[in-house]
C-alpha cells in the first residue's frame, strides 16, 4: 500500500474542532487506500497550556542555570500530549490507531540537545504497524540519543520529522498541513494580497525558509530534496490544492525579465547591524573572527572592507557579541531593531532591472536601505524593523506579485 505522511502544526491540533478536521483528512487518505502516518506538533502557540513556549517558560521559572538535557525532556511532552489525543480522536471513528513518541518511532539523534540532528530512523516497527493496518500518530520535533536521552530537533522540527519519516519509509508523499492555503508569495498575515504558489522548486522554498518564510522548515525541504520525496504544503481547514514542491527541472524554463523573475518576498526580524572598526592587517581582525566562531555567533549580510567590518547578527547573540568586542577592546557601533527583507527568485542573479526596482520602489515608499546583499537566488535589504511590513508590501507590488 502507498504510504502517506501528514504533518499537522500547532494551530491545527489546538482545538476539538480542528482535531476533528484532521481526523476527517486522515480518514480520507486512509479510505483512498493509503497507509497513513501522522506527525503532530504541540498544541497551540505561546500561552496555550501545552504549547512548547509555555513549557519552556515553566522550566525557566525554576531553573537557575541552563540544563538543555532536562529542558528537552520537558519540551518533548507537548507533542506527546498532542499525539495521544489525536490518536484517540481518530480511533473514535472506528480505526486502529497508535500514538508513538520519537523514540518509539525509531528516531535516533546525536547529543545536541535543543537542536539535535537525526542520525538514523529504524523503520522496522513502523512498517510492521502500518502493515497491521494501524494509523500511526507520531510526535514531531524529537528523537532519542544512543544513550537513551530524549532530544528535540529545534524550531520547525516537526516538519523535519515528517520529511525524515517520509524519506525513511519511502512514502509517496509528505503533506505539511498548516493554517494557510500553502506556500504564498509572502506571509499573508503581512501582505494581504499574497497569492498561493501552486508549484515551487526545492531551491526556492529552501531559500524562502532560510530567509524567514516559516511556513515550512528548511531542513525538511533539504531532506525531501535529497530523498526525492514529493513535499506538499496544504491547509488543514480548506480544500485548497496547496503547494507542490518539486525539482526545478520539472518546472517551466528560466525567466529572464525583472517583471516575472521574483517568486516571493520574506523577512527576518530581530536583526542588529554591527560595524567593527578594525584594519585587515591588524591581529585583532583574526581575533574577532576566531571569537565569532568560538562563540557560535553566525553573521550575515557581511561587508568586510579594508578599515571596517559590517555585518548583522540576531538579537539573541547581542550579549555574547558585546562581551567579545569589549574583551578585545575593539571600537564598534551597533544599530538595533533592524530586519532583513529578501526577494527570492530562481537564478535572479544578473537579471537586469531587479535592483533598480528595489531601490526606486523603496525610495518612493520612504524606506531607507541600510545595507544590501545578493546571491544567485536572492537580493536582500536591511531596513529598520519599523519599516518591515511596508518594505514587504512595497516589494511585493513592485514585482507584480499582488
Ligand atoms: P505550523 O504551526 O502549522 O507549523 P507555522 O506558524 O510554522 O505553522 O507556519 C505557518 C505560518 O507561516 C502561517 O500562518 C503564515 O503566517 C506564515 N508564513 C510566513 N511566510 C509565509 C509564506 N510565504 N507563505 C505562507 N505562510 C507564510
Ligand atoms: Mg511550522
Amino acid at each position: 500500500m502507498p504510504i502517506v505522511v501528514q504533518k499537522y502544526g500547532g494551530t491545527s491540533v489546538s482545538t476539538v474542532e480542528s482535531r476533528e478536521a484532521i481526523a476527517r483528512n486522515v480518514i480520507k487518505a486512509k479510505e483512498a487506500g493509503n497507509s497513513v502516518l501522522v506527525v503532530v506538533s504541540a498544541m497551540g502557540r505561546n500561552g496555550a497550556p501545552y504549547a512548547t513556549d509555555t513549557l519552556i517558560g515553566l522550566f525557566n521559572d525554576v531553573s537557575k542555570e541552563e540544563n538543555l538535557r532536562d529542558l528537552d525532556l520537558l519540551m518533548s511532552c507537548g507533542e506527546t500530549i498532542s499525539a495521544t489525543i489525536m490518536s484517540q480522536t481518530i480511533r473514535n471513528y472506528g480505526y486502529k490507531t497508535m500514538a508513538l513518541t520519537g523514540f518509539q518511532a525509531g528516531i535516533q539523534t546525536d547529543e545536541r540537545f535543543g537542536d539535535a540532528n537525526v542520525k538514523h530512523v529504524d523503520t522496522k516497527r513502523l512498517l510492521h504497524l502500518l502493515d497491521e493496518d494501524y494509523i500511526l500518530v507520531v510526535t514531531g520535533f524529537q528523537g532519542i540519543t544512543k544513550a537513551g536521552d530524549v532530544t528535540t530537533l529545534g524550531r520547525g522540527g516537526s516538519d523535519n520529522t515528517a520529511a525524515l519519516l517520509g524519506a525513511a519509509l519511502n512514502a509517496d508523499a509528505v503533506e505539511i498541513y498548516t493554517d494557510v492555503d500553502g506556500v504564498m508569495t509572502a506571509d499573508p498575515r503581512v501582505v494581504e494580497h499574497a497569492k498561493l504558489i501552486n508549484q515551487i522548486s526545492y531551491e526556492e522554498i529552501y531559500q524562502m525558509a532560510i530567509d524567514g518564510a516559516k511556513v515550512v522548515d528548511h531542513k525538511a525541504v533539504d531532506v525531501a530534496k535529497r530523498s526525492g520525496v514529493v513535499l506538499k504544503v496544504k491547509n488543514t481547514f480548506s480544500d485548497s490544492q496547496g503547494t507542490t514542491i518539486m525539482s526545478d527541472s520539472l518546472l517551466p524554463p528560466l525567466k529572464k525579465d525583472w517583471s516575472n523573475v521574483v517568486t516571493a518576498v520574506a523577512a527576518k526580524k530581530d536583526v542588529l547591524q554591527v560595524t567593527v572598526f578594525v584594519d585587515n592587517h591588524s591581529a585583532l581582525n583574526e581575533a574577532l573572527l576566531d571569537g565569532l566562531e568560538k562563540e557560535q555567533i553566525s553573521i550575515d549580510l557581511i561587508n568586510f572592507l579594508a578599515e571596517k567590518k559590517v555585518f548583522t547578527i540576531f538579537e539573541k547573540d547581542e550579549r555574547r557579541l558585546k562581551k567579545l568586542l569589549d574583551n578585545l577592546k575593539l571600537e564598534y557601533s551597533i544599530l538595533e531593531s533592524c530586519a532583513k527583507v529578501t526577494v527570492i527568485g530562481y537564478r535572479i542573479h544578473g537579471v537586469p532591472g531587479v535592483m533598480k526596482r528595489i531601490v526606486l520602489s523603496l525610495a518612493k515608499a520612504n524606506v531607507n536601505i541600510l545595507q544590501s546583499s545578493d546571491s544567485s537566488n536572492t537580493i536582500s535589504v536591511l531596513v529598520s524593523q519599523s519599516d518591515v511590513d511596508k518594505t514587504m508590501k512595497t516589494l511585493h507590488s513592485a514585482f507584480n506579485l499582488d
Side-chain angles (χ1 to χ4, degrees):
M1 243 196 267
I3 297 176
V4 170
V5 175
Q6 299 188 337
K7 177 261 170 177
Y8 292 91
T11 37
S12 300
V13 290
S14 64
T15 66
V16 174
E17 293 74 33
S18 63
R19 291 192 290 272
E20 290 293 333
I22 295 178
R24 285 194 294 275
N25 277 347
V26 171
I27 290 167
K28 201 164 132 195
K30 179 75 182 157
E31 290 299 331
N34 299 294
S35 290
V36 187
L37 184 147
V38 182
V39 174
V40 287
S41 296
M43 291 179 190
R45 303 215 165 121
N46 199 2
Y50 312 120
T52 308
D53 285 323
T54 309
L55 300 176
I56 295 173
L58 205 62
F59 191 79
N60 287 344
D61 284 347
V62 292
S63 72
K64 295 208 171 66
E65 65 208 43
E66 206 169 59
N67 187 319
L68 295 176
R69 187 245 172 229
D70 282 13
L71 181 60
D72 265 9
L73 184 57
L74 175 62
M75 278 203 282
S76 72
C77 296
E79 277 72 15
T80 307
I81 294 169
S82 287
T84 51
I85 300 301
M86 201 56 241
S87 169
Q88 184 58 50
T89 304
I90 302 167
R91 193 151 61 229
N92 290 344
Y93 287 90
Y95 291 84
K96 278 167 80 175
T97 73
M98 193 184 289
L100 298 164
T101 64
F103 160 54
Q104 292 168 325
I107 299 173
Q108 202 194 92
T109 74
D110 62 14
E111 286 78 29
R112 249 179 95 114
F113 293 106
D115 195 20
N117 298 300
V118 174
K119 289 279 163 217
H120 176 68
V121 183
D122 182 354
T123 54
K124 216 165 50 226
R125 185 169 185 205
L126 295 179
L127 287 170
H128 176 72
L129 290 168
L130 290 172
D131 256 1
E132 297 268 294
D133 215 32
Y134 278 96
I135 293 173
L136 301 178
V137 186
V138 178
T139 56
F141 177 64
Q142 60 194 267
I144 196 147
T145 65
K146 224 173 185 169
D149 288 317
V150 173
T151 49
T152 67
L153 309 184
R155 294 273 156 190
S158 294
D159 295 351
N160 202 2
T161 302
L164 283 158
L165 289 177
L169 293 167
N170 209 0
D172 269 41
V174 173
E175 302 173 340
I176 307 284
Y177 282 88
T178 184
D179 56 1
V180 291
D181 277 347
V183 178
M184 309 190 67
T185 49
D187 186 340
R189 291 177 213 288
V190 178
V191 181
E192 55 183 310
H193 301 300
K195 283 192 313 228
L196 178 66
I197 302 172
N198 294 319
Q199 298 179 334
I200 191 167
S201 68
Y202 291 113
E203 283 78 7
E204 279 177 306
I205 186 67
Y206 182 84
Q207 198 61 53
M208 283 174 71
I210 292 267
D211 286 317
K214 66 170 180 165
V215 62
V216 50
D217 185 66
H218 70 274
K219 282 190 197 162
V221 174
D222 195 38
V223 169
K225 182 182 173 186
R226 276 187 287 122
S227 65
V229 67
V230 175
L231 196 58
K232 290 184 180 178
V233 181
K234 290 180 160 192
N235 193 334
T236 309
F237 310 104
S238 86
D239 283 336
S240 164
Q241 67 163 90
T243 303
T244 302
I245 299 164
M246 55 176 68
S247 162
D248 57 71
S249 61
L250 301 173
L251 289 167
L254 292 186
K255 299 160 259 180
K256 268 284 164 239
D257 170 3
W258 71 265
S259 66
N260 61 9
V261 79
V262 172
T263 306
V265 181
K268 283 197 120 163
K269 294 186 188 173
D270 303 325
V271 173
L272 313 175
Q273 187 189 42
V274 185
T275 306
V276 184
F277 300 93
V278 58
D279 194 273
N280 271 349
H281 303 294
S282 157
L284 282 174
N285 192 36
E286 194 177 331
L288 169 67
L289 294 168
D290 279 345
L292 290 170
E293 185 182 359
K294 212 174 281 156
E295 286 292 330
Q296 300 257 309
I297 298 172
S298 78
I299 61 175
D300 193 18
L301 289 179
I302 306 161
N303 285 132
F304 273 27
L305 309 170
E307 76 294 2
K308 64 178 181 184
K309 315 292 168 243
V310 185
F311 54 87
T312 61
I313 60 160
F314 284 111
E315 218 166 79
K316 66 175 176 56
D317 294 327
E318 183 177 13
R319 245 194 13 223
R320 278 180 299 133
L321 178 81
K322 279 183 169 164
K323 204 169 139 194
L324 169 70
L325 298 176
D326 290 338
N327 282 345
L328 293 173
K329 300 199 166 48
L330 279 162
E331 193 191 331
Y332 65 91
S333 66
I334 291 183
L335 186 63
E336 294 184 336
S337 299
C338 302
K340 177 186 168 188
V341 180
T342 303
V343 299
I344 297 118
Y346 186 59
R347 304 280 157 84
I348 197 175
H349 182 80
V351 178
V354 178
M355 196 60 195
K356 173 177 148 189
R357 257 81 207 174
I358 294 175
V359 172
L360 295 185
S361 65
L362 291 180
K364 208 166 146 199
N366 270 324
V367 174
N368 195 11
I369 299 176
L370 302 167
Q371 205 180 333
S372 68
S373 79
D374 74 316
S375 75
S376 55
N377 300 323
T378 62
I379 297 181
S380 302
V381 291
L382 189 71
V383 297
S384 162
Q385 185 131 296
S386 57
D387 283 336
V388 64
D389 289 3
K390 186 158 77 168
T391 304
M392 285 188 79
K393 287 177 191 164
T394 302
L395 294 179
H396 196 265
S397 56
F399 289 99
N400 301 335
L401 297 174
D402 282 351

